[in-house]
Amino acid sequence: MISETVIETLQSFVPEENIHLQEPMAGRTTFRIGGPADCLIEIENEEQLKQITRYLNLVEERYFILGNGSNLLVSDRGYAGTILQVGRKMSRILVEGTRIRAQAGALLSQVSKTALEHSLTGLEFASGIPGTVGGGVVMNAGAYGGELSQVVTQVNVVSPEGESLEFDRETMEFGYRTSALRKHSFTVTEVLFDLKEGEKGRIQAGMEECSRLRREKQPLEYPSAGSVFKRPEGYYAGKLIMDAGMRGYQTGGARVSDKHCGFIVNVGKATAQDVLDVISEIRERVKMRFGVDLETEIIYLE
Ligand SMILES: Cc1cc2nc3c(=O)[nH]c(=O)nc-3n(C[C@H](O)[C@H](O)[C@H](O)COP(=O)(O)OP(=O)(O)OC[C@H]3O[C@@H](n4cnc5c(N)ncnc54)[C@H](O)[C@@H]3O)c2cc1C
């Protein structure tokens, strides 16, 4: 449990309305699951982030960086520590010629929309990914043949010691749904996207096609965290799960989606434990039937 002294100090760094004590994480994740975080702070700028991370490190208080919570499963007990949310309060988007500079809390859908408005091509694939720029870069989010690594040219971060650092495409070591930032506790503050001039009608058509595919294939009508598992080499996780006979498999309120077996959906009052139980059953059955180890893509926070 976070102490009064720590809370008082945090209150000196950010306006009081940005600090939420005992904040239910179910309200901050797309899964709509998760107990309370001791403290959640909505970050507004890089300076606040530096002061807070430096301080929390100094007093050895744990913290976690939250974007839009769209790739996250939070424990039913919640999080004993501080959540720093880099979200809508830090979401400025600037267009500089064929480049877009976006703060980490901007939604990928907003950045893609800005690209469309300026007839810039390269981000069509990202228009329906419900995450922030920061979360997207850390996870190297991708869809329909595109990945952020193809268009990101610079990533500004803050280190736990409160230093500003800059990564480029090489030092980001992008891989499938991963980057160098997953190994370090850096917080992304700003990202520069390098796009190309395109034709507005074609860009729009590209985005509409991606949305159509999403609506058709994904259970967007239920809360979820997207694909639960990474794609195993040579297979599709959803197909393996379906072939293992697990379509519609349900524990409590967590269900293997009937529409896309790679998704676990919250069909009503699912607990994190329900989801973990479904994950563990899937992994066991897929391993038994096909000898494939499924690795989770979603992040479990406890
Ligand atoms: C319906 C649905 C569809 C989806 N479709 C796709 C898809 O097509 N492709 C895809 O790749 N993903 C998809 N996802 C998953 C998810 O949207 C992406 O992984 C997204 O990039 C996560 O961003 P976020 O801001 O929500 O991150 P969060 O879930 O908040 O966090 C994810 C990770 O990133 C870290 N993080 C977040 N912000 C920062 C920051 N500023 N600095 C440092 N670390 C940070 C967190 O600490 C955590 O480790 C989907 C999810 C849903 C619910």
Side-chain angles (χ1 to χ4, degrees), residues 74-138:
V74 181
S75 146
D76 298 315
R77 286 179 304 281
Y79 180 72
T82 303
I83 303 265
L84 304 179
Q85 184 160 33
V86 179
R88 67 186 172 82
K89 294 204 170 165
M90 197 166 144
S91 59
R92 195 188 54 230
I93 301 172
L94 294 174
V95 179
E96 302 170 353
T98 55
R99 293 181 157 191
I100 292 185
R101 188 177 292 281
Q103 282 189 310
L107 288 173
L108 287 169
S109 56
Q110 283 301 322
V111 184
S112 308
K113 188 164 166 251
T114 305
L116 168 68
E117 283 160 4
H118 289 79
S119 302
L120 296 174
T121 182
L123 270 174
E124 291 85 329
F125 73 89
S127 59
I129 301 177
T132 60
V133 164
V137 163
V138 171

Side-chain angles (χ1 to χ4, degrees), residues 64-65 67-71 130-132 135-136 138 141-142 177 186 188 214 226 299:
F64 179 82
I65 308 295
N68 198 39
S70 66
N71 208 28
T132 60
V138 171
R177 299 295 171 267
F186 295 146
V188 179
R214 253 177 219 283
I299 290 158

Side-chain angles (χ1 to χ4, degrees), residues 28 30-31 64-72 85-86 104-105 107-108 125 128-144 148 157 177 181-182 185-189 214 218-220 222-227 263 297-299:
R28 303 262 173 184
T30 56
F31 236 146
F64 179 82
I65 308 295
L66 175 70
N68 198 39
S70 66
N71 208 28
L72 211 57
Q85 184 160 33
V86 179
L107 288 173
L108 287 169
F125 73 89
I129 301 177
T132 60
V133 164
V137 163
V138 171
M139 302 297 299
N140 188 18
Y144 308 117
L148 287 184
V157 303
R177 299 295 171 267
L181 297 187
R182 291 208 60 182
S185 318
F186 295 146
T187 307
V188 179
T189 54
R214 253 177 219 283
Q218 299 183 357
L220 301 179
Y222 290 109
S224 78
S227 298
F263 279 55
E297 176 180 321
I298 58 172
I299 290 158

Side-chain angles (χ1 to χ4, degrees), residues 31-52:
F31 236 146
R32 299 277 170 255
I33 293 174
D38 283 352
C39 178
L40 182 143
I41 303 179
E42 294 175 275
I43 302 291
E44 285 174 336
N45 55 52
E46 187 170 329
E47 201 40 48
Q48 285 177 358
L49 190 66
K50 284 182 173 176
Q51 285 181 321
I52 293 173

